[in-house]
Amino acid sequence: MAAAAASRAARRVLSPRLLTASRHLHASASEGSAREASTSFIHPAAIVHPDAAIGQGVSIGPFCTVGASARIGDACQLHTGSHVMGHTELGEGCVVLNGAILGADLPGRTIIGENNVIGNYAVVGVKCQDLKYKSGEECFLRIGNNNEIREYCSIHRSSKAPDCTVIGDGNLIMGSCHIAHDCKIGNNNIFANNTLFGGHVVVEDYTHTAGAVVVHQFCHIGSFSFLGGGSVVAQDVPRYMMVAGDRAELRGLNLEGLRRNGFSDQEVRSLRKGYRKVFMPASTCQSSFEDRLAELGQEIELLESPSVSSMVESIRTSFEQGRRGICKFRSWNIS
């Protein structure tokens, strides 16, 4: 009886614009009202704004909050104490674990695709930490499908409109990772715990970082590359390559990553031959790095391999205006 009285008293102090203590949402005539979700479950201790759009089969646990502009897709699960704020769209089948915060009451939008898992106490779609951000300016985050974002991760919106922080599909972002404003993350990447990306970093596809990696702002990380544990990456990492150290240096091709991702023996041999021509010249070779790269660009037989062509392109574009060049390398001579 005492518990019931306390519950009724708590409801009386809530704003009349908030919807609580209901297992069902009923559609209203207004355009912005929550659409019918008769099969959804909302715990009595949750607070869901009447203007929020709640899909079918949604489960909202105790002490969750859902803001007026939020849209929750079908079959989503909001676990205890999770929050969806601001203009945030959550696609079908997403799971938001305890304490996670999605979105913020800022101009702009956070869009999260389907079948994503947001881990405990992760913070996704909040204001960036760029001091150039101007209060009131729109900022955006877009996340694709089938990502797993683990506990205590932080992912920030862009620093200005119309720019957007983007994360693709199928990524595993392990605990305590940070993805800063305006980053562009591709598909099927694996970021181990405490991987930190500065603003405007571009990560392509199928990359892998070990733990405690730091990547400087504006760097580009090429597809199928590997960043060794504890690396501090201050320049670009070309496709297919492995780096390690502070400051990170090239340590050869990511051979294990290539094998795991189905590269043929012939493709790997071609990549190794191309890598050696540029980064491991013969002891009698007096040509510069630029000359050796140009010579590789004339190797018609090697360039017939799409992987070698892609590697050469990745290296060349890293030296374009506004880019940071590639990580340093040791000129191992072959006698």
Side-chain angles (χ1 to χ4, degrees):
M1 295 294 291
S7 177
R8 287 193 295 270
R11 293 176 195 175
R12 281 196 294 270
V13 301
L14 293 175
S15 167
R17 289 184 57 77
L18 298 179
L19 175 66
T20 62
S22 173
R23 285 178 172 266
H24 306 289
L25 291 176
H26 299 283
S28 70
S30 62
E31 182 179 349
S33 64
R35 55 192 170 90
E36 184 176 0
S38 59
T39 59
S40 292
F41 170 77
I42 300 176
H43 192 278
I47 301 175
V48 179
H49 196 283
D51 290 341
I54 309 297
Q56 297 285 332
V58 172
S59 174
I60 301 179
F63 312 114
C64 295
T65 59
V66 179
S69 301
R71 301 179 64 87
I72 310 299
D74 295 345
C76 285
Q77 300 177 35
L78 273 60
H79 288 226
T80 302
S82 56
H83 308 279
V84 183
M85 306 166 63
H87 291 273
T88 300
E89 299 180 17
L90 195 60
E92 295 182 6
C94 289
V95 178
V96 184
L97 296 179
N98 299 25
I101 299 175
L102 307 184
D105 291 319
L106 297 169
R109 191 174 298 273
T110 296
I111 300 176
I112 300 173
E114 299 178 357
N115 302 314
N116 294 289
V117 177
I118 313 296
N120 303 85
Y121 301 98
V123 180
V124 177
V126 297
K127 186 178 79 171
C128 69
Q129 298 174 148
D130 187 347
L131 295 178
K132 296 188 295 297
Y133 172 75
K134 297 178 181 178
S135 180
E137 188 161 9
E138 289 189 323
C139 47
F140 301 93
L141 166 67
R142 182 182 294 273
I143 297 176
N145 304 323
N146 304 307
N147 297 286
E148 185 171 2
I149 300 169
R150 293 299 300 266
E151 59 275 5
Y152 297 103
C153 287
S154 55
I155 302 175
H156 291 175
R157 292 199 212 175
S158 60
S159 57
K160 60 183 177 65
D163 296 342
C164 183
T165 304
V166 177
I167 297 176
D169 302 330
N171 297 288
L172 171 57
I173 304 173
M174 297 187 194
S176 300
C177 289
H178 174 65
I179 298 176
H181 60 91
D182 303 291
C183 283
K184 302 290 187 290
I185 309 297
N187 304 318
N188 302 301
N189 297 290
I190 300 174
F191 305 143
N193 299 65
N194 294 291
T195 293
L196 311 177
F197 294 110
H200 301 275
V201 168
V202 175
V203 182
E204 296 181 353
D205 304 326
Y206 294 97
T207 69
H208 192 165
T209 72
V213 167
V214 179
V215 180
H216 192 282
Q217 59 189 15
F218 291 101
C219 284
H220 287 228
I221 310 300
S223 295
F224 301 100
S225 59
F226 180 84
L227 281 58
S231 296
V232 178
V233 180
Q235 292 176 285
D236 293 358
V237 179
R239 293 169 189 151
Y240 314 115
M241 297 190 189
M242 179 169 57
V243 301
D246 177 13
R247 298 301 197 250
E249 297 180 347
L250 296 183
R251 302 298 176 91
L253 293 172
N254 179 22
L255 296 176
E256 181 62 21
L258 297 176
R259 182 188 66 81
R260 291 183 180 183
N261 284 287
F263 282 69
S264 68
D265 291 342
Q266 180 59 47
E267 287 177 301
V268 173
R269 282 194 294 270
S270 297
L271 283 168
R272 294 183 75 166
K273 189 173 182 180
Y275 183 92
R276 287 180 175 179
K277 281 182 175 293
V278 176
F279 298 107
M280 302 174 68
S283 58
T284 56
C285 179
Q286 301 299 316
S287 60
S288 66
F289 166 79
E290 292 78 9
D291 291 338
R292 296 194 300 271
L293 183 61
E295 290 171 8
L296 178 58
Q298 303 300 317
E299 291 273 356
I300 303 301
E301 183 178 348
L302 275 178
L303 292 178
E304 289 179 353
S305 166
S307 300
V308 176
S309 298
S310 179
M311 181 179 72
V312 172
E313 177 194 23
S314 179
I315 297 170
R316 283 177 172 166
T317 55
S318 291
F319 292 96
E320 292 178 351
Q321 186 174 2
R323 296 283 292 273
R324 299 183 59 82
I326 64 172
C327 289
K328 299 296 186 290
F329 59 93
R330 301 178 187 180
S331 296
W332 298 103
N333 295 115
I334 303 174
S335 54

